[in-house]
Amino acid sequence: MRPQKMKIGLAGQPNSGKSTLFNALTGARQHVANYPGVTVEKKIGWYASNGENVEVVDLPGTYSLTSYSPEEQVARDFILREDPSVVINVMDASNLKRCLFLTFQLLEMQAPVVLALNMIDLAEKRGISIDTQKLSGLLGISVVATNMKTGRGKKELLDTISALADTSGASGGIGLDYGEMESFLRDIESRVLAETPQLPAAYPLRWLAVKLMEGDSEVIRLVASAHPSPEDFTADIERLRADFESRFDEMPEIHIANRRYQEADRIVRSCMSPGQARQLSWSDRIDKVACHRLMGPVVLVAVIWLLYYLSIVQGYNVTNYTWPILAQIRSWVEVLLPGAGFIEIPVMRAFGLWFVDSINALLNYIPIFFILFALIAILEDSGYMPRMAFIMDRLFSRYGLHGQSTLPMVLGGIYVGGCAVPGVMACKAIPDERSRLATILVIPLLNCLAKVPLYVLLINIYFASHKAWAMFFISTISLLLVLPISKILTLTVLKKRPTSPFVMEMPPYHVPTVRGVLTRAVERVWLFVRKITTIVAAVAVVVFILMRFPGIGEERMAHYQEEKQKAVSSFIQDIEDTDYAAAIDSDNIMDFIRYWSGYKNARLGAGGGDAAKAVNERFRGKNPDFYKIVTRQGKDGMIAYRAARSLERSRKQLLMDMKNEQIHNSFLGRAGKSLEPVTRYAGFNWRVNVALLSALAAKESSVATLGALYESDERGESLEKRMASKETGFTPLHGLALMLFMVLYPPCLAAAIAVKIQAGGTRWMLFSIGYSMILALGVAAAVFSGGSALGLSGFQAMWLFYGFALTLTVVMGLVRNRPDFSVA
């Protein structure tokens, strides 16, 4: 009898067409979230069958159901613990032998399985003919040939699902014979049944035995937790495994995998037309170039360049159109907040604008993310993503990274000009947890575009005669640091993180569907937006308090009030003999300032022609006297205009001075001064400390803060000149230390949030900030203090450090990974 509510799971290997089948079954009735505690996507949808809603869960694509990766654990836990009515094993018909490896594991778990032989049209185009009835008989389960792009087999699949669900039982598939291991499995089964009788009631006994012989850590912990003598039981399992290996000269897990592939080969030879699958397909012909030893990397570079150009470069160009929308939202919020005085900025107004600016800074990434996620979906659906991993894995695996770390690192700024946020977000596709975490933790150390302004500033000040060499150094040093750092992380803090064998399947190329690409892009962008808005609120409050409070003292505020009165009195005196003396006084001075600012902004946005005339008419109607001043009409209008310009400059200077003093006295400013005893070894003073601390919100803030701290009385003087003149003790060695500190600088606010989202926890976000801060300070101090002790110039120290980094990269690449699961 059918259960009250049907729940269906879609299980299959990557690139098997699960997403297409999921969309075909559920249509628009679906949503995406994350499984609790992990960053794996949870896609749930519904369709109607016989008057009831059937829940469909699209499980993560996985080659196996071990405990190597979060994807495998999530898929396995769903099948074992959520009691699905039916599990649809979605299989790529053109890769029958490889896909059966997963099918055997589903059958061992006694799941009610229906085999969807998907993309049957591609198999037929390759000349592959599969006898589905014979395949069904050999496996002991229902087999349906499908092509969801055309709807072929959909009705038959739905009927088969409904029929199997009505039986409320397992599908009765075959049991795999493991040959010489069978006696060991029977021994384990009897022990588990006798010593932990509660487990076989919850888990298939045969499956438990196979997993224990495989050495599956999660299953060993599961059985041990229910065993009266867990240590003895675990030791006995290890002895059984060692006994099997010594007797048959084969590791148990290798034997199990080999038996599955041998059985898959027997079944394929029985139900597939002989020789048909060996015909050279157009996918194989493309791979002769795309995976060629020499041409493969060239194609990879071209694809990455195109992806980088479209997502980062053109994505930033698209923000030119989206940013005005965000700016308009800010303007609407600004109207609702308490008004500003001449120099009085209410706390609520300051915080409201700070909060909106913080949110907008992240929302501004949406065009980049949308293009990026759409392109990634195209690479995934087309089948090229595994080719990228194949080409780069041989190099990256030496440093604890993964072939699929290539795309995130390029987006993060493997040379110069990337962005850590999309780079970290792109790590979701890395299947190996250890490599994924390592990639997430090192991407913020790459050269994102936000670091470039500080590099340019320091190079122009301290390496003006060696600009090209200095830019080459800063453009390449990050990669020479990231690779050994990644290796060290995987050998230390990440060494206990689960890692998986590098299984390299080359699925046939497919033409992605527009609907599938857009759906996944929207889903991933929405997931990002939903998560950042909750985190930014808390962080924005903390940073705002640190930069604003305790504020300016009463005595100093009285000084600024006095300066304000002088500026206002001077303005009123300057227009005293004009026709506008009665139009503006100390009571409505802010009305005039707001009118002045509004008119300038409106004219700037309008450009010329009829739009400019419309702006003039609108502002003339608001206040004719103010309009004559801002448009400099007549002699008196010109006099009043000049006086207004002087007033505006005075107000801006007062606000700048107050901002500087506020930074000096703020918790952040005090922190900068308190850090001087430590940072002096890197050559940093409190001003540099404050600039670097402000960069935690956004790295661009470092130069903006330096601009405020090194404000000059002489208008038009560049920041390079102001900083060089006010920091007379700074040398190129100081500049080099500061550049290297920025290279290894902790992730900014947006990147830190991305790290939290992708790493799956606040502790990883805090670790990424902490370890990179210590590393950055350590390297900067070593270069500055060591260079000073050796009497090196900044240029000499630069290349000495470059040689050290290059040597470290080569040496760490020779250190063996532990354990090393990669296979060629």
Side-chain angles (χ1 to χ4, degrees):
M1 186 172 178
R2 176 177 293 187
Q4 290 185 350
K5 182 179 180 181
M6 283 184 62
K7 181 185 290 185
I8 296 173
L10 302 185
Q13 295 185 356
N15 303 297
S16 61
K18 275 193 314 92
S19 296
T20 305
L21 177 56
F22 177 76
N23 291 330
L25 291 178
T26 63
R29 302 178 65 192
Q30 54 182 264
H31 76 269
V32 180
N34 273 3
Y35 287 90
V38 294
T39 59
V40 179
E41 280 186 357
K42 181 177 186 179
K43 296 178 68 174
I44 300 177
W46 298 266
Y47 72 88
S49 175
N50 298 323
E52 67 173 328
N53 278 337
V54 179
E55 182 179 327
V56 183
V57 180
D58 185 10
L59 299 173
T62 176
Y63 296 101
S64 180
L65 291 172
T66 61
S67 59
Y68 286 127
S69 70
E71 287 80 6
E72 293 174 343
Q73 293 176 35
V74 162
R76 188 169 80 178
D77 289 348
F78 173 86
I79 295 168
L80 289 172
R81 298 175 183 173
E82 297 199 25
D83 193 24
S85 308
V86 177
V87 175
I88 304 176
N89 181 197
V90 186
M91 180 182 291
D92 179 359
S94 60
N95 280 289
L96 183 59
K97 179 179 177 180
R98 183 178 294 278
C99 291
L100 283 171
F101 189 84
L102 178 64
T103 306
F104 294 142
Q105 295 173 71
L106 291 171
L107 295 177
E108 281 177 353
M109 296 167 73
Q110 297 181 8
V113 178
V114 172
L115 182 60
L117 204 58
N118 200 31
M119 298 185 287
I120 191 67
D121 58 320
L122 293 178
E124 291 171 347
K125 287 180 181 178
R126 296 181 64 181
I128 299 173
S129 177
I130 301 173
D131 188 335
T132 56
Q133 289 188 348
K134 191 169 186 179
L135 178 61
S136 175
L138 290 170
L139 293 175
I141 58 176
S142 298
V143 177
V144 181
T146 64
N147 176 19
M148 284 301 156
K149 288 184 178 180
T150 63
R152 176 180 173 182
K154 181 178 178 180
K155 184 179 184 304
E156 184 183 354
L157 179 62
L158 291 173
D159 292 341
T160 305
I161 292 170
S162 182
L164 181 57
D166 283 335
T167 65
S168 299
S171 50
I174 63 167
L176 195 62
D177 185 352
Y178 287 103
E180 298 91 345
M181 188 178 283
E182 284 298 326
S183 61
F184 292 82
L185 294 175
R186 286 193 295 270
D187 184 19
I188 294 176
E189 286 179 22
S190 62
R191 287 199 57 180
V192 170
L193 189 61
E195 298 168 8
T196 57
Q198 68 275 32
L199 283 180
Y203 300 95
L205 184 59
R206 172 76 169 182
W207 176 79
L208 287 173
V210 172
K211 289 284 118 182
L212 289 170
M213 276 302 289
E214 272 188 322
D216 189 295
S217 58
E218 291 296 321
V219 174
I220 291 174
R221 279 196 291 269
L222 171 68
V223 179
S225 65
H227 199 279
S229 302
E231 294 181 359
D232 293 340
F233 177 81
T234 303
D236 288 345
I237 293 299
E238 287 303 317
R239 278 194 292 271
L240 277 174
R241 284 168 44 79
D243 184 31
F244 179 88
E245 185 172 353
S246 65
R247 288 173 59 183
F248 299 103
D249 194 28
E250 189 175 38
M251 294 176 65
E253 53 267 39
I254 299 298
H255 176 82
I256 291 172
N258 286 339
R259 287 294 300 131
R260 287 171 179 163
Y261 280 121
Q262 288 168 11
E263 182 64 14
D265 184 62
R266 184 187 70 82
I267 291 174
V268 167
R269 283 188 281 106
S270 299
C271 67
M272 183 182 290
S273 298
Q276 295 295 310
R278 290 192 289 272
Q279 290 184 1
L280 190 63
S281 66
W282 63 278
S283 287
D284 296 328
R285 290 193 288 270
I286 293 175
D287 277 342
K288 281 193 170 184
V289 176
C291 296
H292 189 269
R293 182 180 295 271
L294 298 178
M295 289 303 299
V298 175
V299 174
L300 175 63
V301 169
V303 170
I304 288 176
W305 178 86
L306 183 62
L307 186 144
Y308 175 85
Y309 174 77
L310 293 175
S311 63
I312 301 297
V313 177
Q314 294 302 324
Y316 272 115
N317 290 338
V318 174
T319 61
N320 293 330
Y321 301 96
T322 59
W323 182 253
I325 299 173
L326 298 176
Q328 184 61 50
I329 295 173
R330 186 188 190 276
S331 299
W332 293 337
V333 174
E334 189 174 8
V335 172
L336 299 175
L337 294 171
F342 192 86
I343 59 171
E344 299 82 10
I345 310 295
V347 174
M348 284 302 299
R349 179 182 181 83
F351 174 72
L353 294 177
W354 168 266
F355 183 81
V356 172
D357 288 341
S358 299
I359 295 289
N360 281 354
L362 294 172
L363 295 181
N364 196 43
Y365 287 109
I366 287 179
I368 299 171
F369 283 165
F370 183 82
I371 296 173
L372 169 66
F373 290 145
L375 292 173
I376 290 176
I378 291 173
L379 292 177
E380 290 172 344
D381 291 352
S382 66
Y384 185 70
M385 190 73 84
R387 275 81 177 175
M388 292 176 62
F390 172 78
I391 294 168
M392 291 302 299
D393 185 72
R394 180 165 295 184
L395 170 65
F396 278 173
S397 63
R398 290 182 173 273
Y399 298 96
L401 299 172
H402 192 275
Q404 291 189 14
S405 301
T406 307
L407 174 63
M409 292 181 69
V410 168
L411 295 171
I414 206 167
Y415 185 66
V416 161
C419 178
V421 181
V424 171
M425 295 298 289
C427 291
K428 193 177 191 72
I430 302 174
D432 180 87
E433 184 176 358
R434 184 185 299 174
S435 297
R436 183 172 60 83
L437 285 172
T439 309
I440 289 170
L441 292 173
V442 299
I443 279 179
L445 309 184
L446 295 170
N447 278 329
C448 70
L449 190 64
K451 296 179 180 180
V452 174
L454 183 65
Y455 295 155
V456 173
L457 172 70
L458 296 173
I459 289 173
N460 283 333
I461 298 175
Y462 301 111
F463 298 98
S465 58
H466 303 288
K467 285 185 180 180
W469 285 111
M471 205 61 208
F472 172 81
F473 168 84
I474 209 65
S475 299
T476 56
I477 192 64
S478 63
L479 183 61
L480 295 181
L481 294 173
V482 158
L483 292 178
I485 289 170
S486 172
K487 184 63 168 284
I488 293 170
L489 287 172
T490 56
L491 294 176
T492 54
V493 295
L494 299 177
K495 67 179 180 180
K496 294 184 178 180
R497 306 304 295 186
T499 185
S500 58
F502 184 64
V503 180
M504 193 80 273
E505 178 196 1
M506 297 297 181
Y509 289 99
H510 306 291
V511 178
T513 63
V514 174
R515 178 184 174 182
V517 169
L518 294 180
T519 299
R520 290 163 73 183
V522 171
E523 287 172 352
R524 292 173 177 178
V525 168
W526 175 240
L527 188 63
F528 171 77
V529 171
R530 215 171 41 174
K531 288 193 173 185
I532 66 167
T533 50
T534 57
I535 300 170
V536 168
V539 176
V541 172
V542 174
V543 176
F544 177 80
I545 291 172
L546 292 176
M547 292 191 69
R548 184 174 181 87
F549 291 97
I552 302 172
E554 292 183 5
E555 184 177 341
R556 290 297 300 163
M557 199 63 204
H559 163 73
Y560 288 117
Q561 288 289 350
E562 184 179 339
E563 292 298 315
K564 163 195 166 182
Q565 292 300 329
K566 288 181 181 178
V568 173
S569 298
S570 176
F571 170 75
I572 293 175
Q573 184 177 349
D574 289 342
I575 66 170
E576 187 175 21
D577 297 329
T578 68
D579 294 338
Y580 309 107
I584 306 175
D585 56 31
S586 57
D587 293 331
N588 70 346
I589 190 73
M590 281 307 301
D591 293 336
F592 173 72
I593 289 174
R594 282 189 282 268
Y595 181 96
W596 170 282
S597 177
Y599 177 77
K600 287 199 302 182
N601 291 336
R603 278 301 305 266
L604 187 64
D610 293 337
K613 292 178 181 178
V615 168
N616 287 340
E617 287 301 320
R618 178 158 55 91
F619 276 85
R620 182 186 290 114
K622 283 185 177 182
N623 191 312
D625 289 332
F626 288 178
Y627 177 77
K628 291 178 182 178
I629 295 174
V630 298
T631 54
R632 294 170 276 186
Q633 294 186 14
K635 181 179 178 182
D636 285 354
M638 180 60 74
I639 293 172
Y641 175 82
R642 289 172 180 169
R645 282 187 60 188
S646 178
L647 177 68
E648 181 189 37
R649 286 196 297 266
S650 298
R651 181 173 183 253
K652 284 185 177 179
Q653 186 62 52
L654 281 173
L655 289 173
M656 180 64 73
D657 292 342
M658 291 175 66
K659 181 180 178 181
N660 289 341
E661 187 166 339
Q662 195 171 62
I663 293 174
H664 285 221
N665 295 332
S666 69
F667 296 127
L668 197 62
R670 293 176 184 180
K673 293 176 183 178
S674 68
L675 289 173
E676 277 191 315
V678 177
T679 61
R680 65 187 179 90
Y681 295 104
F684 305 160
N685 59 24
W686 77 270
R687 293 185 185 85
V688 172
N689 292 343
V690 169
L692 293 175
L693 288 172
S694 70
L696 284 170
K699 290 187 174 65
E700 299 94 329
S701 300
S702 60
V703 173
T705 304
L706 288 173
L709 293 172
Y710 293 105
E711 187 66 28
S712 174
D713 296 334
E714 185 177 342
R715 295 183 58 80
E717 191 176 37
S718 68
L719 176 56
E720 285 88 344
K721 291 182 179 179
R722 301 198 313 261
M723 187 172 175
S725 63
K726 293 202 173 186
E727 294 293 356
T728 54
F730 271 26
T731 66
L733 199 56
H734 287 82
L736 175 63
L738 184 51
M739 283 195 294
L740 287 173
F741 187 92
M742 182 55 74
V743 168
L744 300 171
Y745 194 79
C748 65
L749 172 60
I753 292 171
V755 169
K756 180 184 183 300
I757 293 172
Q758 288 304 312
T762 303
R763 65 191 184 95
W764 284 116
M765 178 182 74
L766 297 177
F767 176 78
S768 70
I769 295 172
Y771 101 87
S772 53
M773 180 69 80
I774 294 171
L775 186 63
L777 187 58
V779 168
V783 169
F784 179 76
S785 298
S788 299
L790 295 174
L792 300 176
S793 68
F795 196 65
Q796 291 170 334
M798 177 183 291
W799 295 109
L800 182 63
F801 182 78
Y802 196 86
F804 166 78
L806 183 59
T807 303
L808 179 64
T809 301
V810 173
V811 170
M812 291 306 298
L814 299 176
V815 176
R816 189 168 177 235
N817 293 309
R818 297 191 302 269
D820 186 4
F821 287 110
S822 296
V823 294

